[in-house]
């Protein structure tokens, strides 16, 4: 199917390219840069401070097993302002067997938080093995990032997995080499910065409302369309006869990359497409639930910078994101109607899309607004490619810890990340909602 709408970053309505193909558009910045960056001009907001870890002394009073791997980390220290934190290491194929915890100091109050866990099993969010993105030499192992809000102090400890003391034959697994703490300042929304310098008015309109409803951002938003108009546009682009009534749900309102303030200088400038979109994988971002909907664009800018500058990916990994208020955001660049190759579900990125609900839903229920937004988004986007949200699809694994490379796997058209990879994602509470999401999505398509 062809895309029917140019994206906010100027992607033309060309035919979807064959699997997988790239459209070069210039050289990409080197994502392996690790020194702390200085904040750039107004159109390049944000920065990343990267701190190498060191061996920590053993906790007093705790017995240490002979040969046990030492912990690493950093003691409490003041740092440049940041709002999102993660840990990376050199070898993307090495798993971190252990725990990662951080404490942060709030800028406004000077109060230190308690120890907070970072999700260490993050390898399943990545480009597929054998792809140019995965084999670029820039990709690193990484934890999931954690949103902590405005902070200016940090401490981190990384403890290796403790072997069973009764098992003296299994050696302790050392921590990965090159552990670094990544402190991400997402920067200010460039539209809001411009508004401040221009007396509060910009060509794009006012910034997002404080109550979490994305404001009138002009080019920063694709407005919602009715079902009839969505179907008519879909018919034209698919080359179908008028009145053929394809099953396409109404297009929901989508905040574009411009709308959430993506710095397009960070990502690679070329786009990579697959031939179609057969399925949607639902994720949670595992960045925690301590954000307001007004902060969601900042959370996205932080994740984007962490994926590119810290983890070495070509762009943010997800094709779309949804916040707790039900706002929908464009993710990886290339056009919201196109089959853009993402880096969201290791082994199953080809011919699929990834939707991340911002938050952690292992023990917390996802808000109804977010679940409803996922149904609306999948009804529209899957409909563009003729996919039935209540149906099954056969995908070929690119290689994961659940399915070997080349294996044909039958999955739900709307699946959770754990369906393609042995992982907690998208969290047990969100995963339980997928059945009703499929039903709602199909009804929106008119099935």
């Amino acid at each position: 199917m062809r895309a029917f709408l140019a994206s906010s970053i100027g992607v033309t309505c060309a035919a979807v390219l064959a699997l997988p193909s790239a459209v070069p558009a210039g050289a990409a910045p080197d994502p392996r840069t690790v020194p702390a960056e200085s904040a750039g001009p107004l159109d390049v907001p944000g920065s990343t401070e990267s701190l190498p870890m060191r061996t920590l002394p053993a906790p007093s009073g705790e017995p240490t097993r002979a040969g046990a791997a030492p912990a690493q980390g950093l003691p409490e220290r003041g740092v440049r302002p940041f709002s999102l934190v993660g840990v990376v290491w050199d070898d993307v194929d090495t798993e971190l067997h252990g725990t990662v915890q951080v404490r942060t100091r709030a800028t406004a109050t000077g109060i230190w938080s308690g120890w907070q866990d970072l999700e260490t099993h993050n390898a399943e969010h990545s480009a597929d093995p054998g792809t140019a993105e995965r084999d670029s030499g820039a990709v690193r192992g990484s934890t999931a990032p954690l949103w902590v809000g405005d902070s200016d102090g940090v401490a981190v400890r990384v403890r290796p997995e403790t072997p069973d003391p009764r098992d003296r034959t299994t050696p302790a697994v050392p921590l990965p080499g090159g552990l670094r703490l990544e402190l991400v300042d997402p920067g200010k929304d460039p539209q809001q910065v411009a508004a401040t310098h221009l007396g509060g008015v910009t060509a794009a309109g006012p910034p997002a409302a404080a109550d979490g409803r994305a404001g009138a951002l002009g080019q920063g938003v694709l407005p919602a369309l009715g079902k009839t108009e969505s179907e008519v546009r879909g018919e034209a682009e698919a080359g179908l006869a008028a009145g053929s009534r394809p099953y396409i749900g109404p297009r929901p309102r989508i905040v574009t990359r411009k709308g959430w303030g993506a710095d397009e200088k960070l990502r690679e400038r070329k786009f990579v497409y697959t031939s179609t979109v057969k399925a949607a994988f639902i994720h949670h971002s595992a960045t925690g639930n301590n954000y307001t909907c007004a902060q969601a664009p900042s959370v996205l800018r932080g994740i984007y910078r962490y994926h590119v500058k810290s983890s070495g990916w070509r762009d943010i990994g997800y094709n779309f994101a949804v916040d707790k208020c039900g706002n929908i955001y464009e993710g990886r660049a290339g056009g919201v109607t196109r089959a853009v190759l993402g880096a969201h579900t290791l082994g199953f990125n080809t011919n699929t899309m990834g939707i991340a609900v911002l938050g952690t839903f292992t023990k917390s229920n996802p808000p109804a607004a977010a679940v409803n937004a996922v149904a609306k988004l999948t009804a529209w986007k899957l409909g563009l490619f003729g996919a039935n949200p209540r149906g099954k699809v056969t995908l070929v694994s690119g290689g994961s810890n659940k399915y070997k490379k080349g294996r044909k796997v039958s999955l739900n058209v709307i699946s959770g990340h754990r369906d393609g990879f042995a992982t907690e994602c998208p969290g047990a509470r969100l995963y339980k909602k997928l059945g009703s999401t499929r039903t709602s999505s199909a009804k929106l398509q008119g099935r």
Side-chain angles (χ1 to χ4, degrees):
M1 176 175 291
R2 296 186 178 185
F4 60 77
L5 179 67
S7 79
S8 63
I9 56 175
V11 179
T12 59
C13 295
V16 175
L17 303 181
L19 161 71
S21 56
V23 182
D30 182 1
R32 292 171 292 183
T33 304
V34 296
E37 307 157 34
S38 59
L42 293 182
D43 62 340
V44 189
S47 63
T48 303
E49 187 171 5
S50 186
L51 303 174
M53 294 190 203
R54 59 175 183 259
T55 300
L56 295 177
S60 59
E62 291 188 12
T64 302
R65 174 181 164 178
Q72 293 189 40
L74 294 169
E76 292 180 359
R77 61 169 61 191
V79 292
R80 289 165 40 184
F82 70 99
S83 296
L84 181 136
V85 59
V87 169
V88 301
W89 53 93
D90 292 339
D91 186 1
V92 67
D93 294 319
T94 298
E95 186 174 354
L96 194 160
H97 293 279
T99 60
V100 179
Q101 295 180 310
V102 296
R103 293 186 67 205
T104 57
R105 184 177 63 193
T107 303
T109 65
I111 297 174
W112 284 88
S113 72
W115 288 106
Q116 302 178 79
D117 294 320
L118 272 63
E119 175 56 62
T120 59
H121 299 290
N122 195 48
E124 63 267 25
H125 300 84
S126 185
D128 288 349
T131 61
E133 182 173 6
R134 177 78 176 194
D135 298 339
S136 66
V139 181
R140 294 174 172 171
S142 61
T143 68
L146 179 69
W147 178 261
V148 294
D150 293 339
S151 305
D152 61 5
V154 70
V156 59
R157 61 189 185 194
V158 184
R159 291 175 169 173
E161 210 168 66
T162 303
D164 187 337
R166 297 168 296 181
D167 181 5
R168 299 184 177 276
T169 62
T170 303
V173 179
L175 295 173
L179 284 169
R180 305 183 72 89
L181 179 66
E182 302 287 293
L183 305 175
V184 180
D185 171 15
K188 297 184 182 298
D189 186 328
Q191 294 186 79
Q192 295 184 13
V193 172
T196 300
H197 285 259
L198 295 175
V201 179
T202 70
D211 64 0
R213 295 173 299 157
L217 297 173
Q219 293 182 6
V221 163
L222 297 177
L225 297 178
K227 181 170 172 56
T228 300
E229 186 174 359
S230 297
E231 289 180 340
V232 168
R233 292 192 184 202
E235 286 172 357
E237 291 303 319
L240 301 174
S244 58
R245 295 177 61 86
Y247 292 107
I248 301 174
R251 186 183 77 188
R253 189 174 186 275
I254 301 173
V255 180
T256 67
R257 291 172 63 90
K258 182 175 182 179
W260 55 264
D263 177 4
E264 302 299 352
K265 293 181 177 63
L266 288 181
R267 64 170 175 83
E268 287 192 11
R269 294 177 61 193
K270 59 186 178 181
F271 311 123
V272 182
Y273 301 100
T274 60
S275 59
T276 187
V277 178
K278 295 182 178 180
F281 282 98
I282 311 304
H283 305 256
H284 66 176
S285 63
T287 45
N289 303 319
N290 295 323
Y291 72 95
T292 66
C293 292
Q295 291 175 320
S298 295
V299 176
L300 271 176
R301 291 196 302 274
I303 294 173
Y304 170 42
R305 178 172 282 274
Y306 183 74
H307 281 180
V308 176
K309 301 299 291 185
S310 301
S311 303
W313 301 358
R314 64 185 301 125
D315 194 348
I316 191 171
Y318 309 113
N319 297 104
F320 294 93
V322 174
D323 70 24
K324 62 175 67 175
C325 288
N327 294 309
I328 299 171
Y329 303 86
E330 176 186 14
R332 180 163 288 207
V336 295
T337 64
R338 304 289 297 276
V340 178
L341 179 65
H344 48 84
T345 306
L346 183 69
F348 292 98
N349 290 302
T350 297
N351 294 335
T352 71
M353 66 173 177
I355 302 170
V357 181
L358 300 180
T360 303
F361 303 108
T362 305
K363 299 179 181 179
S364 299
N365 289 321
V371 176
N372 291 336
V374 171
K376 293 176 183 179
L377 176 58
T378 51
W380 170 71
K381 183 62 182 278
L382 291 173
L384 297 180
F385 295 87
N388 182 352
R390 284 192 294 200
K392 294 278 189 177
V393 65
T394 298
L395 301 175
V396 179
S397 174
S400 75
N401 68 352
K402 194 169 184 176
Y403 299 107
K404 292 182 179 180
K405 183 176 182 179
R407 179 173 172 179
K408 294 182 179 180
V409 184
S410 178
L411 295 168
N412 290 309
V413 167
I414 297 179
S415 285
H417 188 180
R418 63 176 62 183
D419 294 321
F421 199 100
T423 173
E424 289 286 327
C425 187
R429 298 292 183 91
L430 178 55
Y431 188 75
K432 288 180 179 179
K433 299 291 185 180
L434 296 188
S436 59
T437 299
R438 297 181 190 108
T439 300
S440 299
S441 182
K443 286 182 179 179
L444 288 167
Q445 285 188 350
R447 295 182 186 271

